[in-house]
Amino acid sequence: MSANDGLTAAGAASEQTPLLASTGSFDFGKKVSSVGGNGTGTGRTVLDPNSDALTTREKVYLILEGRYGKVGQIYEGVTIFLIIASIAAFVIGSLFDTDYNGDAPYVDMCGKVCDAIFFGNDPDNGLGFLGIGPFATSIVEVVTIAVFTIDYILRLWTCDLESPRYAGFVGRLRYLPSFYSVVDLSSTVPFYVDALSPNISLEATQFLRMFRFFRMLRVEGRYTEALTLFDDVFREQKHVLGTAGFIGCTTWVAVASLYYIAERRNTDMIYCPDPASDCEEGIDDMSGVDTGLCVIDSWGLVDCTDAGCPPSEYKENPCYNVFNSIVSASYFALLNLFGEFPLIDQHSTAGKVVGTVTAVVAVAVFALPTGLIGNGIENIISRRREENRALEQSNGTGDAENGEAPDEWIDVDASEYPADDSTFGGRLYNFLEARTSSMAVVFDWFINTLIIGVILSFAVDTLFQENDNAMYRLVIDNFEFAVACIFTVEYVLRLVASDQNPLYRGLGGKFHYLVSFDSLVDLAAFLPYWIQVWITGTLIPHNANAIGSTTVRLLRLVRILKFEQYTHAFGYFDDVFRMNADLLAMTGFAALVVWVFFAAALYITDRSNPDPEMAGFYKTVPDSMWMTLLNLSGESPLCNYSVLGKVLTGIIGIFATALFGIPIGILGSGFEEIIDEVTEETPDEEIDEAIKSDGSAALIAEASVPEKIYNFTNGLGSTASLWFEGMVYFLICLTVFIGIIQTIEGKEDSLSQVEFLAVLMFTVEYILRFIGASADPNYADIGSPF
């Protein structure tokens, strides 16, 4: 029997094929050596959990994999709970760490018992009798370590069932450096090192429990596919990536070398991490250090004695130039190559030249590897999406084959399906939803005008909240009352007419309408106002600071979402989320893992940063998560990291940012795909060509006044129109140039007469374009409401 026998029938474990998973499927067999198709025995073993011939070792393996009935599911749930609990304890526990967050008002809320159960920050929390070393621990950590240790021993015992290549003693040795084995060891072994080696200081090993996040990938195997995307990309584009990577590294070294040459003698680049401790009394931060008084020798060493920061027995060099070596310069060069310039106001003239070249040329070259990876991921996702579509069609799981109407048949424009006009409900529906008459369009415009008026009144009122003018308050408050009344009546009428829509007929249909997006938006526009009236007992509150007044007016701004009926933007995003739900779940979880992992790592490396300002940003894991999120989003607002912090932020910029940005890229790609499917935009070139092709002399002669004006203002049909269009472009450039000149001191009124003539010309142009708008193909389908 070959390795592939019995693996061709459809028997997938899930009803829906994950987007990133392979399209192959298989049946569970009793003894199957691999799933892969190469016959080499390197794939994953698949056992039938319902077989009566399973050995004890095979049952243990299936339990560890969460595939042995209820027992497997319970063990899987316990594992997930312990992973989340231990990580949450570490993250939340950093808030109660008195060594780094002692100034927080809540730091003493968790006593010794609380610390002993959850966090393990205090060595005197009562768990010293366990004799596990000089550092504190917690019951959560001890239980987690015990369970994961037993788990690892059992996995080592059964690893040959995962793959035959792990069989025997040599196979076990081969299993030790595998990905999940390293994750398991990294999250458990440091605990024993701490416990058994009191003389070894491994205080930061608590951070390594972040590796337990990667165990989630084993528990929920589909999440692994998000990380293996990179492996597929590197394998498919390794030659191109190798070349681009070499170019990127060469560019990086070249920019760092140029910065070193340009800035190593620049006193503005001198940095003193902790002036309050290393400098003379009265100097509390860098603002008190006059770096212009510092001396830089030929080797780049800094002496700031004259600036009040002399060398001492505790710190030989309290200040240094951040570009004192190519190695130091390489970090800031890397930030510049990412497009970030945190020291932009401190560069010398030569440094600015290097920065300009970096921004204009080097950034594009350095971005080649990132662009290749992004394109590679997009290609793989597109290819797998097509494979899954083909698989669904071959399995007969498409909507059409199941007799289900596609979503596009349901999400239709109400104006295309008016109701019966012979009934009151039908007429009401046609007036409010289908807008089949001119008065209905006028009413719709009126409601939209009120929405804009609400927004503007709220914005203006935030500027004059303290205005006690009686007339001003009377106008604002009565306008809000009138709007609330109109929106209330409109909502009731829409509710009455909703049963004309087949989706909302009957009692159940009314309920579905009440919880629909449009209904909730309409409700939020007026309900808070009436709640405020009920609380205050005043029909028209005349106090801008009344109970909930600001909140009420703010909630009314939700009404702007009513414009969704024109743009359908949120509906499209809903389609994007549904189409890419599985992919977003995988990549989103991977991004979460990366975020928390690097936040915890930077918390460890920079919570003791000698710069108090830097340490303040990383004094707890939640604080660190905020700054790490900015780093993963491509921003670098800080730069004075510790050495390890610089290494980590460099890794974030080169690798982690790409992974973190995958979900955003998926949303963008999906939105673009949806828009391409539901809209058919005619390029401007085709419109112009159609106009020109139809613009024969006879047609131009018979054209109406608006058509002639439209052609004239858009450079169509005559030489005069081309000259007019060219003159407009010239005036635009001229007025921009005049605006630049007028920013020079003493030139504020220069060429003002020319500017006046240009404005006059633009006014005439606007009037002409307004008259000719009815002949514009882009607005031809929009009729007048009157």
Side-chain angles (χ1 to χ4, degrees), residues 334-357:
L334 187 63
L335 293 183
N336 291 170
L337 289 167
F338 293 155
E340 295 296 311
F341 294 82
L343 303 177
I344 189 171
D345 58 338
Q346 298 171 230
H347 282 293
S348 63
T349 301
K352 291 178 181 178
V353 172
V354 175
T356 301
V357 174

Side-chain angles (χ1 to χ4, degrees), residues 645-675:
K646 289 179 179 178
V647 172
L648 287 172
T649 52
I651 293 174
I652 287 175
I654 295 175
F655 299 107
T657 303
L659 176 61
F660 193 78
I662 289 177
I664 299 175
I666 292 171
L667 289 176
S669 177
F671 189 74
E672 182 179 0
E673 182 178 351
I674 290 290
I675 293 298

